[in-house]
Amino acid sequence: MAPQMLAFLPAVMLGAFWFGGEGLLLVIALTLPGLLVVTGLLPVRPWQRAHRATGARGRQGFLAHLSRGLSRGTNAQGDPPVCVVLSICDAGTLEAQFGAIGTDSILHDCAERLRDVLRDDDLPFTLAPGRFGIAVPRTPHTDLEAVIQLAGRLQYAVNRPVMLGATRVHLTTCVGFAMPSRVPDQVGESLLDAAESALDAAVRAGPGSIRAYSRGMRPRAPVPGNLARDVARALEDGEIRPWFQPQVSTDTGELSGFEALSRWEHPQKGHIAPAAFLPAIAEAGLLERLGEVVLYHTLTALKAWDRAGLHAPNVAVNFSPSELANPRLVDKLQWELDRFDLDPARLVVEVLENVVAQSEDDTTSRNIAALSRLGCGIDLDDFGTGHASIANIRRFDVTRIKIDRSFISRVDTDRDQQNMVSAILTMAERLNLDTLGEGVETHGEHAMLAQLGCGHVQGYSIARPMPFEDTPAWIRAHEARLSTLPRLTHGAGGQGRSTG
């Protein structure tokens, strides 16, 4: 009856003013809410109670909440809770795109949406920016299928476009969860570790994935304590190497190149995410050493593909700002290309848009211009997230722009996304620049980009990054698929694209 009783509150306030004037009105306005809370007639939201109880709704608060659920149970039968962890893909890039205030607004909106989906007693805890933990109480109907359906509802709630002023922000999420019966140690930390192991598997499977923890699952790879020392050793021992993600032409479907992406396979801890070790490499001052390792393995891969008779036109390599500011960069790259007897056109230099937008270093611009004259391709990465002007694009001799995945997501169903991508493609065409859409996750996005005129695509809908050893089989399988596809031909004077 408590919510319904609040309907009489205006009448109570009006009566107070009628009989006692402003003095009585002020007294009731100050005392009535407190009386309602004390007597239990005005309910306090569960997440507010939890906030006051734990003092913080972060990771430690969630672990304490899980531990209480495991020791006391979540129902009359004493059943422990199910641990669900939801993570926004690429949450670390939100602040670079929307600033601290915009990111806080987005994450607050996501948390509110999760509360709307959950029951009053289910609390979303913030484990990290863009990562939420939920302890789901058990019921007689809480089986594997029910948790998967709940995870899908949580994803749908967060994935709906978030309005940030006039900007529509599209998010994608992954979910991992752990049933307590599958975790050997019935403590909060073990249950959360299991759920995050499942989340890691979901992230590896691609955006939008849901995974349940199983005992055969690869154990979660925590970041080593002395990471700076470990990354230096890993670089020298060959544990950190480039994996290769294909890029294909939207005209023909043929392989147009690869991108080299740094990956760390720890011998004991398994796969360690780039977001965990790349900052440590930067802090240790090893970015240039990482660049040397990636470049060596990239050029080695190009020669190996050539010897095997496989068609791999080029490989794009990311260069850090410190590498681009090295006055000897061009000489070093030319020496390496000569050593491997490779045409400079086989190497594409990727430069982040914020480097182009913010760099006032003449050495950086001279290096990029010299690499372009040498014959290397220049890719402007993450286009649309920075503030690179047309003048800077020309000054840095950019040959191709990579449209950031934030513009690609749902481009097949969102008209605003289509208009934005069309505007970028029109600008690129006027400037005689090639284009590549990155982060293409569905065949619908791939098809729409082809229809809009984007030259190349890259993403999970084509292939995930793979170690070099897996690339020959992928190239042969891709060429075999293309050879079986029909091709459209046009009469004299006709124009059109062949399918592939």
PDB file of all heavy atoms in Angstrom, residues 200-218:
ATOM      1  N   ASP A 200      35.845 -13.745 -20.434  1.00  0.00           N
ATOM      2  CA  ASP A 200      37.005 -13.727 -21.327  1.00  0.00           C
ATOM      3  C   ASP A 200      36.756 -14.586 -22.562  1.00  0.00           C
ATOM      4  O   ASP A 200      37.117 -14.210 -23.683  1.00  0.00           O
ATOM      5  CB  ASP A 200      38.249 -14.235 -20.594  1.00  0.00           C
ATOM      6  CG  ASP A 200      38.731 -13.265 -19.514  1.00  0.00           C
ATOM      7  OD1 ASP A 200      38.311 -12.091 -19.559  1.00  0.00           O
ATOM      8  OD2 ASP A 200      39.502 -13.688 -18.639  1.00  0.00           O
ATOM      9  N   ALA A 201      36.131 -15.745 -22.359  1.00  0.00           N
ATOM     10  CA  ALA A 201      35.812 -16.608 -23.501  1.00  0.00           C
ATOM     11  C   ALA A 201      34.796 -15.945 -24.417  1.00  0.00           C
ATOM     12  O   ALA A 201      34.880 -16.066 -25.650  1.00  0.00           O
ATOM     13  CB  ALA A 201      35.279 -17.955 -22.995  1.00  0.00           C
ATOM     14  N   ALA A 202      33.835 -15.241 -23.832  1.00  0.00           N
ATOM     15  CA  ALA A 202      32.844 -14.527 -24.645  1.00  0.00           C
ATOM     16  C   ALA A 202      33.503 -13.430 -25.463  1.00  0.00           C
ATOM     17  O   ALA A 202      33.181 -13.224 -26.642  1.00  0.00           O
ATOM     18  CB  ALA A 202      31.752 -13.948 -23.752  1.00  0.00           C
ATOM     19  N   VAL A 203      34.440 -12.700 -24.856  1.00  0.00           N
ATOM     20  CA  VAL A 203      35.142 -11.630 -25.573  1.00  0.00           C
ATOM     21  C   VAL A 203      35.943 -12.214 -26.734  1.00  0.00           C
ATOM     22  O   VAL A 203      35.966 -11.649 -27.834  1.00  0.00           O
ATOM     23  CB  VAL A 203      36.051 -10.846 -24.600  1.00  0.00           C
ATOM     24  CG1 VAL A 203      36.968  -9.893 -25.361  1.00  0.00           C
ATOM     25  CG2 VAL A 203      35.204 -10.079 -23.595  1.00  0.00           C
ATOM     26  N   ARG A 204      36.598 -13.352 -26.508  1.00  0.00           N
ATOM     27  CA  ARG A 204      37.360 -13.982 -27.595  1.00  0.00           C
ATOM     28  C   ARG A 204      36.437 -14.439 -28.710  1.00  0.00           C
ATOM     29  O   ARG A 204      36.820 -14.437 -29.889  1.00  0.00           O
ATOM     30  CB  ARG A 204      38.166 -15.169 -27.058  1.00  0.00           C
ATOM     31  CG  ARG A 204      39.357 -14.775 -26.198  1.00  0.00           C
ATOM     32  CD  ARG A 204      40.287 -15.961 -25.985  1.00  0.00           C
ATOM     33  NE  ARG A 204      39.654 -17.022 -25.226  1.00  0.00           N
ATOM     34  CZ  ARG A 204      39.676 -17.121 -23.903  1.00  0.00           C
ATOM     35  NH1 ARG A 204      40.305 -16.196 -23.195  1.00  0.00           N
ATOM     36  NH2 ARG A 204      39.086 -18.118 -23.286  1.00  0.00           N
ATOM     37  N   ALA A 205      35.213 -14.831 -28.372  1.00  0.00           N
ATOM     38  CA  ALA A 205      34.266 -15.304 -29.384  1.00  0.00           C
ATOM     39  C   ALA A 205      33.723 -14.155 -30.229  1.00  0.00           C
ATOM     40  O   ALA A 205      33.266 -14.381 -31.352  1.00  0.00           O
ATOM     41  CB  ALA A 205      33.114 -16.055 -28.720  1.00  0.00           C
ATOM     42  N   GLY A 206      33.781 -12.931 -29.719  1.00  0.00           N
ATOM     43  CA  GLY A 206      33.324 -11.791 -30.507  1.00  0.00           C
ATOM     44  C   GLY A 206      32.226 -11.015 -29.807  1.00  0.00           C
ATOM     45  O   GLY A 206      31.547 -11.520 -28.900  1.00  0.00           O
ATOM     46  N   PRO A 207      32.041  -9.746 -30.190  1.00  0.00           N
ATOM     47  CA  PRO A 207      31.024  -8.900 -29.560  1.00  0.00           C
ATOM     48  C   PRO A 207      29.641  -9.533 -29.626  1.00  0.00           C
ATOM     49  O   PRO A 207      29.263 -10.162 -30.616  1.00  0.00           O
ATOM     50  CB  PRO A 207      31.070  -7.611 -30.398  1.00  0.00           C
ATOM     51  CG  PRO A 207      32.451  -7.593 -30.971  1.00  0.00           C
ATOM     52  CD  PRO A 207      32.810  -9.030 -31.223  1.00  0.00           C
ATOM     53  N   GLY A 208      28.886  -9.380 -28.521  1.00  0.00           N
ATOM     54  CA  GLY A 208      27.540  -9.930 -28.446  1.00  0.00           C
ATOM     55  C   GLY A 208      27.477 -11.360 -27.958  1.00  0.00           C
ATOM     56  O   GLY A 208      26.393 -11.927 -27.853  1.00  0.00           O
ATOM     57  N   SER A 209      28.630 -11.945 -27.605  1.00  0.00           N
ATOM     58  CA  SER A 209      28.652 -13.361 -27.200  1.00  0.00           C
ATOM     59  C   SER A 209      28.280 -13.524 -25.729  1.00  0.00           C
ATOM     60  O   SER A 209      28.468 -12.628 -24.911  1.00  0.00           O
ATOM     61  CB  SER A 209      30.040 -13.957 -27.446  1.00  0.00           C
ATOM     62  OG  SER A 209      30.382 -13.898 -28.811  1.00  0.00           O
ATOM     63  N   ILE A 210      27.747 -14.706 -25.419  1.00  0.00           N
ATOM     64  CA  ILE A 210      27.409 -15.100 -24.050  1.00  0.00           C
ATOM     65  C   ILE A 210      28.064 -16.452 -23.799  1.00  0.00           C
ATOM     66  O   ILE A 210      27.948 -17.369 -24.629  1.00  0.00           O
ATOM     67  CB  ILE A 210      25.882 -15.213 -23.853  1.00  0.00           C
ATOM     68  CG1 ILE A 210      25.207 -13.860 -24.113  1.00  0.00           C
ATOM     69  CG2 ILE A 210      25.553 -15.714 -22.454  1.00  0.00           C
ATOM     70  CD1 ILE A 210      23.685 -13.939 -24.130  1.00  0.00           C
ATOM     71  N   ARG A 211      28.746 -16.595 -22.660  1.00  0.00           N
ATOM     72  CA  ARG A 211      29.397 -17.867 -22.338  1.00  0.00           C
ATOM     73  C   ARG A 211      29.152 -18.217 -20.877  1.00  0.00           C
ATOM     74  O   ARG A 211      29.120 -17.344 -20.010  1.00  0.00           O
ATOM     75  CB  ARG A 211      30.905 -17.797 -22.599  1.00  0.00           C
ATOM     76  CG  ARG A 211      31.294 -17.663 -24.066  1.00  0.00           C
ATOM     77  CD  ARG A 211      30.944 -18.924 -24.841  1.00  0.00           C
ATOM     78  NE  ARG A 211      31.376 -18.854 -26.225  1.00  0.00           N
ATOM     79  CZ  ARG A 211      30.644 -18.375 -27.223  1.00  0.00           C
ATOM     80  NH1 ARG A 211      29.426 -17.911 -26.972  1.00  0.00           N
ATOM     81  NH2 ARG A 211      31.109 -18.370 -28.455  1.00  0.00           N
ATOM     82  N   ALA A 212      28.965 -19.508 -20.635  1.00  0.00           N
ATOM     83  CA  ALA A 212      28.820 -20.031 -19.277  1.00  0.00           C
ATOM     84  C   ALA A 212      30.130 -20.697 -18.864  1.00  0.00           C
ATOM     85  O   ALA A 212      30.818 -21.304 -19.705  1.00  0.00           O
ATOM     86  CB  ALA A 212      27.679 -21.044 -19.211  1.00  0.00           C
ATOM     87  N   TYR A 213      30.474 -20.587 -17.601  1.00  0.00           N
ATOM     88  CA  TYR A 213      31.712 -21.195 -17.120  1.00  0.00           C
ATOM     89  C   TYR A 213      31.577 -22.708 -17.081  1.00  0.00           C
ATOM     90  O   TYR A 213      30.554 -23.260 -16.660  1.00  0.00           O
ATOM     91  CB  TYR A 213      32.052 -20.681 -15.716  1.00  0.00           C
ATOM     92  CG  TYR A 213      33.257 -21.363 -15.122  1.00  0.00           C
ATOM     93  CD1 TYR A 213      34.535 -21.045 -15.548  1.00  0.00           C
ATOM     94  CD2 TYR A 213      33.106 -22.342 -14.144  1.00  0.00           C
ATOM     95  CE1 TYR A 213      35.653 -21.674 -15.018  1.00  0.00           C
ATOM     96  CE2 TYR A 213      34.213 -22.982 -13.598  1.00  0.00           C
ATOM     97  CZ  TYR A 213      35.484 -22.646 -14.041  1.00  0.00           C
ATOM     98  OH  TYR A 213      36.578 -23.287 -13.515  1.00  0.00           O
ATOM     99  N   SER A 214      32.620 -23.381 -17.536  1.00  0.00           N
ATOM    100  CA  SER A 214      32.693 -24.842 -17.419  1.00  0.00           C
ATOM    101  C   SER A 214      34.080 -25.201 -16.916  1.00  0.00           C
ATOM    102  O   SER A 214      35.049 -24.450 -17.109  1.00  0.00           O
ATOM    103  CB  SER A 214      32.424 -25.517 -18.763  1.00  0.00           C
ATOM    104  OG  SER A 214      33.408 -25.149 -19.712  1.00  0.00           O
ATOM    105  N   ARG A 215      34.193 -26.352 -16.292  1.00  0.00           N
ATOM    106  CA  ARG A 215      35.469 -26.732 -15.671  1.00  0.00           C
ATOM    107  C   ARG A 215      36.571 -26.931 -16.699  1.00  0.00           C
ATOM    108  O   ARG A 215      37.739 -26.822 -16.384  1.00  0.00           O
ATOM    109  CB  ARG A 215      35.282 -28.016 -14.841  1.00  0.00           C
ATOM    110  CG  ARG A 215      34.455 -27.800 -13.589  1.00  0.00           C
ATOM    111  CD  ARG A 215      34.524 -28.994 -12.642  1.00  0.00           C
ATOM    112  NE  ARG A 215      33.818 -28.739 -11.403  1.00  0.00           N
ATOM    113  CZ  ARG A 215      32.580 -29.101 -11.166  1.00  0.00           C
ATOM    114  NH1 ARG A 215      31.886 -29.719 -12.109  1.00  0.00           N
ATOM    115  NH2 ARG A 215      32.007 -28.840 -10.010  1.00  0.00           N
ATOM    116  N   GLY A 216      36.195 -27.214 -17.938  1.00  0.00           N
ATOM    117  CA  GLY A 216      37.205 -27.388 -18.976  1.00  0.00           C
ATOM    118  C   GLY A 216      37.651 -26.087 -19.600  1.00  0.00           C
ATOM    119  O   GLY A 216      38.515 -26.084 -20.485  1.00  0.00           O
ATOM    120  N   MET A 217      37.101 -24.987 -19.144  1.00  0.00           N
ATOM    121  CA  MET A 217      37.413 -23.684 -19.742  1.00  0.00           C
ATOM    122  C   MET A 217      38.813 -23.254 -19.351  1.00  0.00           C
ATOM    123  O   MET A 217      39.291 -23.544 -18.246  1.00  0.00           O
ATOM    124  CB  MET A 217      36.381 -22.657 -19.273  1.00  0.00           C
ATOM    125  CG  MET A 217      36.468 -21.313 -19.946  1.00  0.00           C
ATOM    126  SD  MET A 217      35.046 -20.294 -19.492  1.00  0.00           S
ATOM    127  CE  MET A 217      33.759 -21.075 -20.467  1.00  0.00           C
ATOM    128  N   ARG A 218      39.465 -22.531 -20.305  1.00  0.00           N
ATOM    129  CA  ARG A 218      40.801 -22.030 -20.036  1.00  0.00           C
ATOM    130  C   ARG A 218      40.771 -21.114 -18.806  1.00  0.00           C
ATOM    131  O   ARG A 218      39.939 -20.219 -18.719  1.00  0.00           O
ATOM    132  CB  ARG A 218      41.304 -21.227 -21.240  1.00  0.00           C
ATOM    133  CG  ARG A 218      42.743 -20.739 -21.076  1.00  0.00           C
ATOM    134  CD  ARG A 218      43.098 -19.681 -22.093  1.00  0.00           C
ATOM    135  NE  ARG A 218      42.909 -20.133 -23.442  1.00  0.00           N
ATOM    136  CZ  ARG A 218      43.320 -19.445 -24.511  1.00  0.00           C
ATOM    137  NH1 ARG A 218      43.940 -18.285 -24.344  1.00  0.00           N
ATOM    138  NH2 ARG A 218      43.094 -19.888 -25.722  1.00  0.00           N
TER     139      ARG A 218
END
